[in-house]
Structure formats: structure tokens, C-alpha cells
Amino acid sequence: MLRSERHLDFFNFMFTRFTRKHMRAVRIARWGLPEVPRGAPAVIFANHPSWWDGVAFMLLYRRLLKDRPLFTPMAEWALNKYAFMRRLGVFGIETGSSRGTVAFLRTAEHVLKDPSHILWINAPGRFADPRERPIPIAPGMTRLAEMAPGANFVPLALDYPFWGERKAEMLVAFGAPIPAAELLALDRDARAARLAAALEATHDRLVADAISRDPERFDTLVQGREGMGGVYQMWRRLGALLRGQRFDPRHDNQPERAP
């Protein structure tokens, strides 16, 4: 598989710039920092609510787990549209076929032979509303423990709510790791239920923090631009300057708390 540190550095810069422009902030719950045991490969399995998830993987990897090489699958038809991602650790899979599942598992097995590697994957295998219950688990997910019996499986919850500004928040949290051995003690249906339950518990706790609308419950990893932007924001800035006041670009400058 192609990987280029030069490409990773460049696209981390570009993804960060893009996120600052289009998201208000990327925030991680203070209880939800990643616990990824050393000396063994890992599978970070996330829900899949949005196109933004791939960007989230890159931003989190570069800020929290940079010393653990990232690999992640993407539908081959989509990867063909974003061919540069092949140099970021992204590999293509054929969706909707048993042949594609077998090819994915072979690639995943190869990736997870290295104890430093992390496979980042959207567990549903399709876009799914974050409120959908149970969270769907793609069939290939239940077989990954067989490919890598020494790996740890770490849930990652992603959510994109709007608070008091025009741009959404990217909120994330990791859950407790699950050893592959625990999954291998279950049949495949029970494995899917165990993975779904871990992901749901992590997401439900993240949602409780999101409902609080309290930034103090999070650490900010990327801060985006505040306010509306454009001519209206320029007018407000000029007005503050003429009044001798400090300009605050936010729409709502009151503490963000749920009522």
C-alpha cells in the first residue's frame, strides 16, 4: 500500500485549513481521549454519520495517534474520485459483494500484522444516522478479530451538532478498548452485538455532553472561524472599532449551556 509522509503532512495542513473554514471547532470529550494499548495492532471502529468522517480520521490521527500509522478502507468507486488518498493509507474495497469482503479481510489481515498499525474503519459500512439503533455493524467487522487475534478494538463516536453559531461542531470521543480475545469467545452475531453496544454507549455519552452545549466538557483540537463572515461581519467589526470596543465575531457570546 502507498504511504507518503510528505503527502500526509500536506493533506493534514489542507484538511485542517478546510475544517477551520467550514466547521466551528473539532472537540474531543475530556473523558474520551484514546486508550490504545501499545505493542499490539488496533482497530478503531466508528459510526458513520457524515461525509466528514474521513476528515475526522485524519485530524484525530495526526493530533492524537501520529506515531501509529493509519490505514483505512474506502469504497473503490469513491477512492477513484479522490485518488490522492491512496498515499494517505487509504485502500479501496469493492462494496456489496462477497469478493469485496474477502479482499478487504485479506488487506486488513496484512495491515494488522504490524503491532504499530491502526486500522480506522466506519463500522456500519454505509452512512447511518447517528441516532439509528442498533448501530449497524458490517459483516466484515465481525471477522476482523479472526484476522488479528492480538488486536484491540476501540470504539469512536462522531457527532456533528449545531450549537449557537452558523457552523457545526465536530464532536468526538473514544471508548474503552475491547481485546480481540473477548470477541473471539463469541459467535459472529454476538460479536456484532458487542461492538454495536460499545459504540452506542460511547455515542450516547458523547450526546449527553453535546446536549449540555458546554465547551468546557471538551478539549478543542481545531478551532474554526467564528461568526457569520462576509459583509455583515465586516460591518460589525467596523462598528466595534468606531465604538472603541473589542470585536467578538460570535453570534451568541453568552455561555453555551442547555437550559
Side-chain angles (χ1 to χ4, degrees), residues 114-184:
D114 189 321
S116 71
H117 287 176
I118 298 179
L119 179 67
W120 297 63
I121 187 168
N122 292 109
R126 61 170 174 81
F127 288 117
D129 189 285
R131 294 160 293 191
E132 184 176 343
R133 294 292 184 272
I135 291 178
I137 301 294
M141 277 293 304
T142 64
R143 298 177 61 183
L144 278 178
E146 299 166 23
M147 304 295 105
N152 290 285
F153 288 70
V154 181
L156 168 60
L158 305 169
D159 209 75
Y160 305 93
F162 285 88
W163 284 354
E165 299 294 329
R166 73 179 177 92
K167 294 185 289 186
E169 314 282 336
M170 181 187 290
L171 304 183
V172 308
F174 293 85
I178 305 169
E182 179 181 330
L183 297 173
L184 289 172

Side-chain angles (χ1 to χ4, degrees), residues 20-167:
R20 283 176 174 154
K21 181 178 180 181
H22 295 287
M23 281 278 175
R24 185 186 180 197
V26 179
R27 309 184 197 271
I28 184 167
R30 291 187 169 174
W31 54 265
L33 293 169
E35 299 175 18
V36 184
R38 299 282 175 177
V43 177
I44 293 177
F45 63 103
N47 56 333
H48 198 7
S50 168
W51 173 93
W52 279 96
D53 299 346
V55 176
F57 284 180
M58 172 61 73
L59 297 177
L60 295 174
Y61 153 62
R62 294 296 282 188
R63 284 155 181 79
L64 301 172
L65 294 162
K66 187 178 180 181
D67 62 332
R68 304 285 301 269
L70 167 148
F71 296 90
T72 186
M74 177 182 284
E76 188 67 43
W77 63 265
L79 187 55
N80 288 336
K81 295 182 179 181
Y82 307 101
F84 69 87
M85 288 189 172
R86 297 183 190 275
R87 294 189 175 274
L88 309 183
V90 181
F91 59 92
I93 57 172
E94 179 184 329
T95 58
S97 73
S98 57
R99 182 178 64 182
T101 300
V102 170
F104 159 69
L105 290 170
R106 285 177 179 165
T107 303
E109 182 178 22
H110 175 72
V111 166
L112 296 172
K113 282 181 178 178
D114 189 321
S116 71
H117 287 176
I118 298 179
L119 179 67
W120 297 63
I121 187 168
N122 292 109
R126 61 170 174 81
F127 288 117
D129 189 285
R131 294 160 293 191
E132 184 176 343
R133 294 292 184 272
I135 291 178
I137 301 294
M141 277 293 304
T142 64
R143 298 177 61 183
L144 278 178
E146 299 166 23
M147 304 295 105
N152 290 285
F153 288 70
V154 181
L156 168 60
L158 305 169
D159 209 75
Y160 305 93
F162 285 88
W163 284 354
E165 299 294 329
R166 73 179 177 92
K167 294 185 289 186

